[in-house]
């Protein structure tokens, strides 16, 4: 692949998600989808975040998840799990619960506008909140399992495409129990791939959702692209995998969706295997 040195370069080290660094500014968004993560993975991610948001029915999802871990948030004994911000049109959240969480410190912002999804509106409110608190967010982790209604899945992707309007320069990664998804903006991207995913031939894909990609080149994939054009009705890079390399590079002239399976990684973490390689967690 020919590298255009004039392109902006972005390095994606998504394993920061699981490293819980207190010196890395990130936010967590809980949407109204099932939370299928083991507590030893999800709770530390929440605890180390600078801002935590639950979105409408995602508030109840969070409360129920905590209850399954033996944590009754509404007793007032677990302040570190109280959301900083709760947003949405509130059609899926109990007013009584909202009042209780408000009394415990949550900022409640109702967003009734039906021209945008609750997810999109949450990003807007997050941007405002971070600005007011003088927090320079590097990354936003949105927990949203991607199974279910197809219109919701595409609506969430649409929010990713619009996210830079609300929180410029922040990386937004959608986290499902078996995959990660984010947008690669025009430029050059380097994605660190854990060895366990390479060894297990985990799947990955590049999808030109919304508009064609006129020129895209890659390295590190089993089926690489070389100045290719991608569009629906033509070429898309689905069901791809890695070529024994722990780094994927993508050079693209247009926004494109990157998505990847993480099942072997999560299985190893659920078995309490510890990531010790510097290249895997730094």
């Amino acid at each position: 692949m020919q590298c255009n040195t004039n392109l902006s370069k972005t390095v994606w080290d998504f394993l920061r998600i699981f490293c819980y660094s207190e010196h890395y500014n990130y936010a967590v968004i809980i949407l109204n989808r099932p939370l299928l993560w083991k507590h030893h993975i999800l709770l530390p991610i929440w605890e180390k975040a600078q801002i935590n948001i639950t979105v409408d029915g995602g508030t109840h999802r969070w409360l129920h998840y905590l209850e399954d871990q033996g944590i009754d948030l509404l007793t007032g004994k677990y302040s570190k799990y109280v959301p900083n911000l709760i947003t949405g049109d509130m059609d899926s959240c109990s007013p009584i619960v909202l009042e209780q969480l408000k009394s415990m410190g949550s900022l409640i912002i109702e967003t009734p506008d039906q021209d945008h999804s609750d997810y999109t509106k949450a990003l807007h409110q997050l941007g405002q909140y971070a600005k007011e608190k003088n927090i320079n967010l590097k990354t936003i982790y949105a927990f949203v399992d991607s199974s279910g209604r197809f219109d919701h899945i595409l609506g969430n992707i649409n929010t990713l495409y619009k996210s830079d309007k609300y929180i410029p320069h922040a990386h937004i990664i959608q986290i499902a129990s078996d995959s990660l998804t984010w947008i690669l903006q025009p430029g050059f991207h380097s994605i660190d791939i854990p060895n366990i995913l390479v060894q297990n031939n985990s799947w990955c894909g590049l999808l030109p959702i919304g508009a064609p990609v006129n020129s895209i080149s890659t390295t590190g994939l089993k089926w690489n692209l070389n100045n290719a054009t991608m569009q629906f009705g033509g070429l898309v890079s689905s069901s791809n995998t890695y070529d024994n390399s722990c780094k994927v590079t993508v050079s693209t002239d247009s926004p494109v969706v990157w998505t990847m399976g993480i099942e072997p990684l999560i299985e190893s973490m659920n078995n309490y295997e510890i990531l010790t390689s510097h290249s895997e967690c730094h």
Side-chain angles (χ1 to χ4, degrees), residues 15 19 265 268 272-282:
L15 279 171
C19 291
L265 176 65
S268 72
Y272 297 94
E273 294 181 12
I274 300 175
L275 302 176
T276 56
S277 167
H278 176 74
S279 63
E280 288 187 329
C281 195
H282 57 276

Side-chain angles (χ1 to χ4, degrees), residues 168-195:
H169 313 303
H171 294 168
I172 301 181
I173 299 179
Q174 288 187 177
I175 304 178
S177 57
D178 59 357
S179 64
L180 303 174
T181 301
W182 66 84
I183 297 289
L184 302 180
Q185 296 292 347
F188 181 82
H189 299 264
S190 177
I191 306 169
D192 294 334
I193 308 298
N195 188 51

